[in-house]
Amino acid sequence: MTSGDDRPDRGGGATATFGVELNGLNTIHESERAGRARDLFWPWFGANVSVFGLSYGSFLLGFGISFWQATIVGVVGIVASFLLCGVIALAGKRGSAPTMVLSRAVFGVEGNRVPSALSWLLTVGWETVLTALAVLATATVFTRLGWEGGTATKVVALVVVVGLVVAGGVIGFHLIMRMQMVITIVTGVLTVLYIALVLGHIDLGAVAALPAGDVPHVVGGFVFMLTGFGLGWVNAAADYSRYLPRATRSGGVVGWTTFGSSLAPVLLLIFGILLAGSSESLSKAIAADPIGALASLLPTWFLVPFVIVAVLGLVGGAVLDIYSSGLALLSVGVRVPRYVAAGIDGVIMTAGAVYVVFFASDFLGPFQGFLITLGVPIAAWCGIFVADIALRRRDYAEAELYDRRGRYGAVRWLPIALIAAGTAVGWGLVTNGSADWLSWQGYLLGPLGLGGRTGDWAYANLGVLVSLAIGFLGVLLFGRRAIRRQEER
């Protein structure tokens, strides 16, 4: 029997930090559940502390809004998006299984293959982008130092980054928790030093003079922040809380997940807004080349620590992605051990990163457009799952998460229909200007008087929020009876 087996009656997690985790889709045995809710702080903080968070200040001011508008919508958008992760993490504590297994209670054991496939594509995509960006960041800083920033540097950086990410994904939960604690401490300290060194570049007068934006651009900024942070993590949110004891306080699970995820992005965003708002030329430079622009503000002696903080921040996110992508691959139906699934994703990630770093002349923009496209159905899934969690009064019947003849059934058609509806409407309300092959999106903007596919309204990320709302309200209004029937069996 492998850890990709759908049967829930096996344990086998690692007992030592460097022992390979054998748990896969199975529920976690009582003997392996340990820790406290506050332990969730480390993986989530480590995955979201990155100097790249500073660049979101420039992206947000690009909506033409003022400092206070940007700060309010940024903070609210970040916290609200990670609160969704906190609620989904609660399902992990209640069911002791990975996120995409718990989702079977909503979609059915077979029907859940649809969101599992979407989740796998999204997490593999993001881990590829993060790995490629870490390699390119190293090359950029080394070039500025006057050292070799060409092929040799990129190859070495790729080997190191891939080695760290794949090791974490293959060995599993216990190593990841240790890695994220180290990444949190090192990256946190170096980020504080970075802020101290560039503090003199802030011009409060220029920041205060930023003009206020209108309602569409404020809403657009909010949706951008919602999409750029927590919504990228919702499909992995229960993968770490599933190891907590069932008696862990629910409020602590939600609170520590939300707090750990939000703390660094909120602080970095506010400083990034101050930095970008102080100089229009700097803001444009950050938007075009975050690593190069952020590094240009530093004294030469801090460039090596800067590349360490930049790379570790990206590695922290990629490690969580590869672990969850392996679990999602198993949930799609691939029957291999969990560590083999993570290794498969590592190979795909490496091939993608090699292409981005060494061959692609214009890849990241179109590929990120592809990830935004996947984000629309994932937002619908998130709304559906969060509403389902809110309506449930009891813990999951763990054994029946693996039985298509059990209370959760093979396919539940309402959630499938809601994903389809949310996706259809959502794609009609988003645009991807950086990807020509996605120009068909935004087909509802014109008919609804929102400016058309090339229009301005919210820079057309609105579809993500609408898709989320369709999923949430659909279950809230029409799914309650089905959930009660499940709980009465």
Side-chain angles (χ1 to χ4, degrees):
M1 190 185 302
T2 72
S3 60
D5 198 311
D6 262 5
R7 284 172 283 181
D9 57 348
R10 69 177 308 274
T15 57
T17 300
F18 297 104
V20 174
E21 177 192 5
L22 300 181
N23 285 318
L25 297 187
N26 56 282
T27 55
I28 303 303
H29 192 271
E30 292 289 345
S31 64
E32 295 183 61
R33 295 175 188 165
R36 293 165 289 187
R38 67 186 183 190
D39 295 335
L40 294 171
F41 175 85
W42 301 108
W44 290 110
F45 187 92
N48 290 285
V49 56
S50 169
V51 291
F52 281 99
L54 295 168
S55 63
Y56 276 83
S58 171
F59 302 153
L60 200 49
L61 290 181
F63 282 85
I65 56 181
S66 70
F67 167 76
W68 287 111
Q69 287 175 323
T71 300
I72 292 170
V73 301
V75 171
V76 173
I78 288 171
V79 174
S81 69
F82 283 121
L83 180 60
L84 296 173
C85 292
V87 173
I88 293 174
L90 186 59
K93 192 266 293 191
R94 289 178 175 177
S96 305
T99 311
M100 299 317 296
V101 170
L102 297 166
S103 178
R104 293 174 177 179
V106 188
F107 291 87
V109 175
E110 301 297 335
N112 193 62
R113 295 180 192 272
V114 173
S116 293
L118 292 170
S119 176
W120 179 75
L121 287 170
L122 192 63
T123 47
V124 168
W126 277 119
E127 71 202 39
T128 301
V129 168
L130 293 174
T131 299
L133 287 175
V135 174
L136 294 171
T138 303
T140 297
V141 173
F142 272 45
T143 299
R144 177 149 189 260
L145 282 167
W147 301 348
E148 169 60 44
T151 301
T153 297
K154 291 175 181 177
V155 169
V156 173
L158 182 66
V159 170
V160 172
V161 171
V162 167
L164 288 171
V165 174
V166 173
V170 169
I171 294 177
F173 177 81
H174 296 283
L175 178 59
I176 287 174
M177 295 296 280
R178 292 295 183 92
M179 286 178 67
Q180 296 297 74
M181 183 181 294
V182 172
I183 288 173
T184 294
I185 295 170
V186 174
T187 310
V189 170
L190 292 178
T191 301
V192 170
L193 285 174
Y194 175 88
I195 290 173
L197 289 170
V198 302
L199 196 60
H201 291 273
I202 290 177
D203 182 346
L204 293 178
V207 172
L210 293 171
D214 56 15
V215 172
H217 292 88
V218 172
V219 173
F222 170 75
V223 177
F224 174 76
M225 298 306 293
L226 195 74
T227 321
F229 286 93
L231 276 178
W233 289 110
V234 289
N235 53 321
D239 293 350
Y240 305 93
S241 55
R242 79 190 204 275
Y243 272 93
L244 290 175
R246 198 179 299 279
T248 305
R249 191 170 62 87
S250 296
V253 173
V254 177
W256 280 106
T257 300
T258 306
F259 178 65
S261 305
S262 302
L263 180 60
V266 163
L267 296 177
L268 290 168
L269 173 73
I270 294 172
F271 189 79
I273 295 171
L274 289 169
L275 202 59
S278 299
S279 167
E280 184 176 353
S281 60
L282 176 61
S283 182
K284 290 179 179 178
I286 291 173
D289 179 15
I291 281 291
L294 293 171
S296 70
L297 304 177
L298 291 168
T300 302
W301 65 267
F302 194 73
L303 288 177
V304 171
F306 175 77
V307 78
I308 292 173
V309 70
V311 169
L312 282 180
L314 293 166
V315 166
V319 165
L320 261 63
D321 274 327
I322 194 172
Y323 181 74
S324 294
S325 70
L327 292 172
L329 184 60
L330 298 181
S331 189
V332 171
V334 177
R335 300 180 71 81
V336 296
R338 183 209 59 80
Y339 53 88
V340 173
I344 291 171
D345 289 348
V347 172
I348 296 171
M349 174 195 76
T350 304
V354 166
Y355 177 71
V356 173
V357 172
F358 296 104
F359 300 104
S361 57
D362 181 23
F363 178 79
L364 282 179
F367 190 58
Q368 286 173 335
F370 167 68
L371 295 174
I372 292 170
T373 300
L374 284 179
V376 172
I378 286 293
W381 170 86
C382 176
I384 292 165
F385 197 23
V386 167
D388 185 90
I389 292 168
L391 290 174
R392 287 191 184 274
R393 298 171 178 171
R394 302 177 184 175
D395 289 343
Y396 297 94
E398 294 175 357
E400 296 189 49
L401 291 168
Y402 306 85
D403 184 2
R404 68 193 309 275
R405 296 164 299 181
R407 71 181 68 193
Y408 303 121
V411 179
R412 293 184 60 203
W413 292 107
L414 173 63
I416 296 289
L418 289 173
I419 276 198
T423 301
V425 176
W427 280 345
L429 295 172
V430 297
T431 57
N432 278 303
S434 59
D436 292 339
W437 58 281
L438 294 172
S439 60
W440 54 270
Q441 294 178 354
Y443 45 79
L444 294 178
L445 292 170
L448 293 177
L450 298 176
R453 298 183 189 184
T454 59
D456 175 68
W457 215 101
Y459 299 147
N461 278 319
L462 190 61
V464 177
L465 184 60
V466 172
S467 182
L468 176 73
I470 287 173
F472 182 81
L473 293 175
V475 171
L476 211 61
L477 294 174
F478 304 110
R480 187 186 304 266
R481 183 175 299 177
I483 293 171
R484 293 292 171 262
R485 283 199 300 265
Q486 287 180 358
E487 294 182 325
E488 290 166 1
R489 289 187 62 173

